[in-house]
Amino acid sequence: MRTSIATVSLSGSLTEKLTAAARAGFDGVEIFENDLLASPLTPEEVRDRCADLGLTIDLYQPMRDVEAAPAEEFARTLRRARHKFALMRRLGADTVLVCSSVSPLAVDDDALAAGQLARLADLAQDFGIRVAYEALAWGRHVSTYDHAWRIVEAAGHPALGTCLDSFHILSRGSDPRGIERIPGEKIFFLQLADAPRLAMDVLQWSRHHRCFPGQGGFDVAGLVRHVLRAGYDGPLSLEVFNDVYRQSDAGATAVDAQRSLRLLQEQAGLTTPPAPVVPTGVAFAELVTPDAEPLAALLGALGFARTARHRGKPVDLWEQGEARILVNTTTAGRRESTRLAAVGLESPDPAGAARRAEALLAPVLPRRRAPQDVPLEAVAAPDGTELFFCATGRAALPDWRADFPAAGHRTPRGTGVRRIDHLSLTQPWHHFDEAALFHRSVLGLRAQESVDVADPYGLLRSRAVTNADGGVRIVLTVGPAPADDTAHAQHIALATDDVVAAARRFRAAGGRLLPIPANYHDDLAARYEFADGELETYRELGIFYDRDADGGVFRHCYTHTVGRVFFELVQREGGYRGYGAPNAPVRLAAQHAARGFTGG
Ligand code: MG
Ligand code: MG
């Protein structure tokens, strides 16, 4: 179906918004009146600009406080409408949005509302314009879609139809099945927005917290299915008021928006893009560092061995068990922080994974970096992290390790690390919702609930995306601003069957564990019963402890930080599926306190 987006959903000038929408692949736009009023372009210039960009103007909005008004008030409305309809002719827009009145002057009289809307539609018809009447969730007398439809039906005017808005319908908890009773040709427009489930005033909820479908808690795809069954064939249009999108780059937001509609169309059965190929494990994590020494010391103490070197680039492979870390020193000598730059994901079908990614607008990266390199499918995540689709050790497919001839290094000393348990990727604040949708839609991972964690200097939001068996776990976080390396740290958690033994071996090899305040372990003693000496061991090593509702247990501790990166040793037992979130505020405070303790 055709896709459209309201200009209010994007930041910038009207010209910037139109350009961003067109570049992201939208077919049309809703022009928000304030965007036009603030634009130096004449309506004709806006029309031409849209035409040049290949965009249609699908809606002009909004016209407020029209219906069920006192006679003299309604006369003023018709005068206003005449001006606006003339303007719409100049713009080349043929549908106007009228939202249900919030005026204190409006009366609770459906017959009067229907009569006045019919008179407005009469006038509109003279200009070749259609009126789409929408129930605002906070409308004074009309606040549900079925009520708005009853008024439209009673008016019985060919130039009057209804506009359905998923936010207004789902935020009120209305049953969307009733949409199927509306004749499709009377649904003049469909606006889509999702929102997180929040207990707050619906007007504030709508104005500040709408998000793109798939990013919140509403079943927007389910609603769309009802609208399609009703026979609607107009555009799928996004109308999202969101404080973050208002401030972030319009180009990126428009791509995020278009991706959400591609996923929605797939979910609603309208399209069949290449199916997601869910990754099964982590092949490697790649760290880029201007100075390999501090990382080499840390990895060595963690029991990793440098086993191979890339044949054409300054990239070393460090291994222990199934955990593989690449240390890339291409930025050697530069004033840049050590960071997690790329992740290799084990994929049952790397080429299929890349096709899926492309269909969902993920930037596809060149397959070969150099002529002799093993061709690897790769895409960029919204935060710039490169994701490689790998087939480690599978005969029929190219193995990335072929680029890493064994360097004859020693085998790992080992601390009992088996594999990478999870990766934590800090997102720029304006990419958080986009990142979760990206990992769900492109990689087919499941997103868990978003959690808020107190940091001494702000609030950290965190949301994990995983595959079904936990072979891939990525924790997306967004830290407080202004961001320093502590607030924007990333980490690699390493799975072990015995975190106490691993921590002891790490320390014996010269590694430094993050010191934890005694108050934390005193509190643990109050919350849980431990075997003799157990708590003292945790206290001595700085091991955190958590237990879930089903008796699953998580023990974990942290290394010092190098640049923006630190490591975590984790031991999961009894099916524990979390990440120790209750411990995160103490860990963050300890990291802030230990800033002098970072390794460079
Ligand atoms: Mg709306
Ligand atoms: Mg962690």
Side-chain angles (χ1 to χ4, degrees):
M1 286 177 93
R2 300 182 65 259
T3 58
S4 189
I5 187 167
T7 53
V8 73
S9 314
L10 301 169
S11 71
S13 67
L14 182 56
T15 308
E16 289 168 327
K17 291 164 189 252
L18 297 176
T19 306
R23 284 208 181 127
F26 283 92
D27 304 300
V29 288
E30 302 176 22
I31 299 273
F32 201 67
E33 184 161 83
N34 279 348
D35 285 322
L36 180 75
L37 301 187
S39 174
L41 301 181
T42 64
E44 289 78 7
E45 286 168 335
V46 172
R47 183 194 62 207
D48 293 347
R49 181 69 59 97
C50 286
D52 288 347
L53 290 166
L55 294 170
T56 52
I57 299 179
D58 296 326
L59 190 78
Y60 185 76
Q61 70 132 318
M63 194 175 282
R64 299 186 193 279
D65 298 336
V66 169
E67 83 283 15
E72 62 279 16
E73 201 59 35
F74 185 67
R76 273 195 288 275
T77 295
L78 287 180
R79 180 181 167 278
R80 174 162 57 102
R82 196 179 298 277
H83 275 271
K84 294 303 174 189
F85 294 160
L87 166 74
M88 286 175 62
R89 286 281 291 266
R90 295 171 63 196
L91 267 178
D94 68 0
T95 306
V96 66
L97 177 82
V98 169
C99 39
S100 61
S101 181
V102 296
S103 167
L105 300 175
V107 291
D108 188 5
D109 181 342
D110 285 2
L112 179 62
Q116 290 180 336
L117 285 170
R119 284 181 60 197
L120 182 77
D122 258 341
L123 178 61
Q125 205 167 27
D126 295 342
F127 288 85
I129 285 166
R130 310 188 308 165
V131 175
Y133 177 58
E134 169 196 70
L136 291 179
W138 54 90
R140 188 164 175 85
H141 300 293
V142 177
S143 57
T144 60
Y145 79 89
D146 44 319
H147 191 180
W149 162 238
R150 283 198 303 277
I151 291 171
V152 167
E153 194 177 26
H157 196 290
L160 178 68
T162 190
C163 169
L164 298 174
D165 179 315
S166 65
F167 178 88
H168 294 304
I169 296 170
L170 299 173
S171 67
R172 294 285 311 228
S174 297
D175 184 349
R177 285 177 298 185
I179 292 169
E180 295 185 30
R181 290 194 292 272
I182 306 174
E185 69 277 8
K186 294 304 274 185
I187 303 173
F188 281 5
F189 211 71
L190 173 62
Q191 293 178 314
L192 300 172
D194 200 343
R197 297 255 171 219
L198 298 171
M200 70 188 299
D201 169 70
V202 71
L203 173 66
Q204 298 304 323
W205 191 13
S206 173
R207 293 265 165 90
H208 302 283
H209 299 282
R210 286 187 180 212
C211 55
F212 296 126
Q215 296 179 348
F218 293 155
D219 180 11
V220 183
L223 180 138
V224 168
R225 280 192 291 269
H226 295 301
V227 180
L228 294 173
R229 272 187 223 123
Y232 175 75
D233 63 358
L236 301 174
S237 189
L238 296 168
E239 187 198 27
V240 170
F241 308 89
N242 180 293
D243 295 351
V244 172
Y245 305 155
R246 279 180 200 283
Q247 300 172 61
S248 47
D249 174 68
T253 306
V255 170
D256 183 25
Q258 178 65 225
R259 179 179 301 126
S260 83
L261 279 185
R262 296 211 177 175
L263 182 66
L264 181 86
Q265 291 180 80
E266 179 184 26
Q267 290 169 336
L270 285 163
T271 57
T272 46
V277 181
V278 183
T280 53
V282 177
F284 64 81
E286 180 169 354
L287 301 173
V288 174
T289 183
D291 175 11
E293 268 326 295
L295 265 185
L298 180 51
L299 287 168
L302 279 166
F304 282 79
R306 182 162 38 197
T307 54
R309 170 160 266 236
H310 193 279
R311 60 179 145 199
K313 288 183 291 192
V315 182
D316 287 329
L317 169 61
W318 291 74
E319 292 186 82
Q320 181 178 184
E322 295 291 303
R324 303 179 199 93
I325 312 278
L326 299 179
V327 176
N328 181 329
T329 49
T330 347
T331 61
R334 287 194 218 155
R335 290 170 58 85
E336 282 176 24
S337 259
T338 298
R339 64 193 167 87
L340 182 52
V343 177
L345 295 169
E346 295 294 354
S347 177
D349 174 9
R355 282 195 297 275
R356 169 75 179 178
E358 198 163 10
L360 286 157
L361 305 170
V364 174
L365 303 171
R367 296 181 76 218
R368 276 178 210 272
R369 306 308 165 89
Q372 74 278 12
D373 285 356
V374 171
L376 272 185
E377 308 285 353
V379 299
D383 65 352
T385 303
E386 297 182 352
L387 302 176
F388 290 88
F389 299 119
C390 303
T392 310
R394 271 180 289 145
L397 294 163
D399 190 332
W400 61 276
R401 291 179 306 180
D403 283 335
F404 290 84
H409 289 288
R410 61 204 159 86
T411 49
R413 177 178 54 83
T415 49
V417 166
R418 293 157 53 88
R419 59 184 192 87
I420 291 177
D421 179 272
H422 64 271
L423 297 157
S424 166
L425 298 174
T426 311
Q427 304 299 304
W429 62 272
H430 51 286
H431 285 314
F432 189 70
D433 289 332
E434 177 187 4
L437 182 65
F438 176 94
H439 286 87
R440 277 182 51 214
S441 63
V442 172
L443 304 177
L445 298 175
R446 304 170 180 187
Q448 297 178 356
E449 284 299 298
S450 167
V451 232
D452 290 342
V453 172
D455 174 280
Y457 302 100
L459 196 68
L460 193 124
R461 278 177 75 204
S462 151
R463 190 169 192 190
V465 289
T466 68
N467 69 353
D469 70 1
V472 176
R473 294 179 166 111
I474 297 172
V475 183
L476 306 165
T477 62
V478 63
D484 59 10
D485 278 355
T486 309
H488 268 191
Q490 304 159 318
H491 73 265
I492 300 173
L494 303 166
T496 169
D497 294 336
D498 185 346
V499 73
V500 170
R504 285 202 195 287
R505 284 187 212 133
F506 173 65
R507 267 209 332 198
R512 289 172 297 157
L513 289 163
L514 182 71
I516 305 305
N519 294 338
Y520 170 78
H521 289 101
D522 290 347
D523 178 60
L524 271 190
R527 287 157 59 205
Y528 303 113
E529 288 197 48
F530 292 99
D532 274 355
E534 189 181 353
L535 188 61
E536 285 61 42
T537 303
Y538 299 159
R539 205 188 281 278
E540 173 207 341
L541 294 166
I543 290 176
F544 285 103
Y545 182 92
D546 187 34
R547 209 182 282 181
D548 66 22
D550 306 317
V553 167
F554 193 53
R555 297 175 178 85
H556 56 134
C557 59
Y558 297 89
T559 70
H560 66 268
T561 303
V562 175
R564 289 174 55 189
V565 178
F566 60 92
F567 291 84
E568 179 183 10
L569 291 165
V570 311
Q571 178 182 353
R572 293 178 184 273
E573 278 179 325
Y576 182 93
R577 297 174 71 88
Y579 302 86
N583 299 325
V586 179
R587 186 260 294 173
L588 287 161
Q591 286 177 320
H592 280 287
R595 243 180 285 195
F597 158 88
T598 57

